[in-house]
Amino acid sequence: MSRKNEQEPALSRKEKRRAEMLSVAAEMFLEYGYDGTSTDMLVERLGGSKSTIYSYFGSKQEMFESIVLEVASEVFAALPEQPTDDQDLTKALVAFANKYLSIVLEPRTISICRAAVAEGRRFPEIGHYFLEMGPMRAAEQLAAWLCLHFPDGHLPQEDAVILAEQFSNVLKGHFIFRALAGDEVVLSDAREQRYIEIAVAQFVAGARACY
């Protein structure tokens, strides 16, 4: 057996252990925040010692950064893709809104958003990654579709991005601020659908008035 093959099981075990540590530590960081989660707390929950954590992540900061980036990737992987070509504007926006709002109001999304906001100045790369993976990515996908399928005309790319950002902001509206402040946001299906219908109707009417 080659040396490479002999090393593979050890590497696999190390990667598995790292993933397990991230999963446990993620719940602590997202619940208590960066400052509220001490290294001693991590050791108590994870087992081992501080040197064990440092051997995998180098520091508490690197561990926190890894967690936020990985959780953000997992959460925002569910963002809606571009609407299908055969959908009209209103139906496409309603479908997009349903998926987008369901993601925004997920407790794990709120937790990762809270972490990114709270620690964004201390760890700027976390804030940048959060924006790129979440709000910016959703707006870019919707803008691309608007450029191709906006009724009666050629929608400039820059305007399409503005419209997509505005629509996304209308959807999450005050909900995201309530959630970040600790308020539990619970909407009935009927209430959520009515909220979406009004948001879409206002957006479509306003956008068409501009072009």
Side-chain angles (χ1 to χ4, degrees), residues 136-179:
M136 291 173 63
R137 178 182 165 213
E140 287 171 359
Q141 289 176 343
L142 182 57
W145 188 87
L146 287 173
C147 279
L148 294 175
H149 302 286
F150 195 79
D152 303 323
H154 306 284
L155 184 65
Q157 173 66 26
E158 291 183 0
D159 287 6
V161 172
I162 292 173
L163 288 172
E165 289 174 346
Q166 289 179 342
F167 183 62
S168 300
N169 288 331
V170 166
L171 287 177
K172 59 191 176 188
H174 68 291
F175 293 135
I176 191 69
F177 293 106
R178 285 174 55 190

Side-chain angles (χ1 to χ4, degrees), residues 13-26 45-46 56-57 63:
R13 286 195 296 270
K14 184 173 183 179
E15 290 171 356
K16 183 178 179 180
R17 174 56 177 159
R18 182 181 185 278
E20 291 172 349
M21 293 172 70
L22 280 179
S23 177
V24 173
R45 185 76 65 88
L46 296 171
Y56 279 88
F57 300 99
M63 182 182 229

Side-chain angles (χ1 to χ4, degrees), residues 15-91:
E15 290 171 356
K16 183 178 179 180
R17 174 56 177 159
R18 182 181 185 278
E20 291 172 349
M21 293 172 70
L22 280 179
S23 177
V24 173
E27 300 305 320
M28 298 179 67
F29 277 121
L30 294 180
E31 181 176 358
Y32 303 114
Y34 181 80
D35 288 330
T37 304
S38 68
T39 306
D40 288 335
M41 290 170 61
L42 290 168
V43 170
E44 182 178 356
R45 185 76 65 88
L46 296 171
S49 63
K50 291 182 181 180
S51 61
T52 302
I53 294 177
Y54 296 149
S55 70
Y56 279 88
F57 300 99
S59 66
K60 172 186 164 183
Q61 175 181 335
E62 289 184 22
M63 182 182 229
F64 178 72
E65 291 174 351
S66 296
I67 286 170
V68 172
L69 298 184
E70 291 196 18
V71 173
S73 298
E74 174 189 331
V75 167
F76 293 124
L79 275 173
E81 299 296 333
Q82 292 183 21
T84 58
D85 290 346
D86 59 348
Q87 287 179 303
D88 67 26
L89 184 62
T90 297
K91 289 182 179 179

Side-chain angles (χ1 to χ4, degrees), residues 118-131:
E119 305 299 341
R121 295 191 66 179
R122 188 187 317 200
F123 309 122
E125 62 277 13
I126 288 179
H128 294 158
Y129 186 83
F130 173 81
L131 291 173

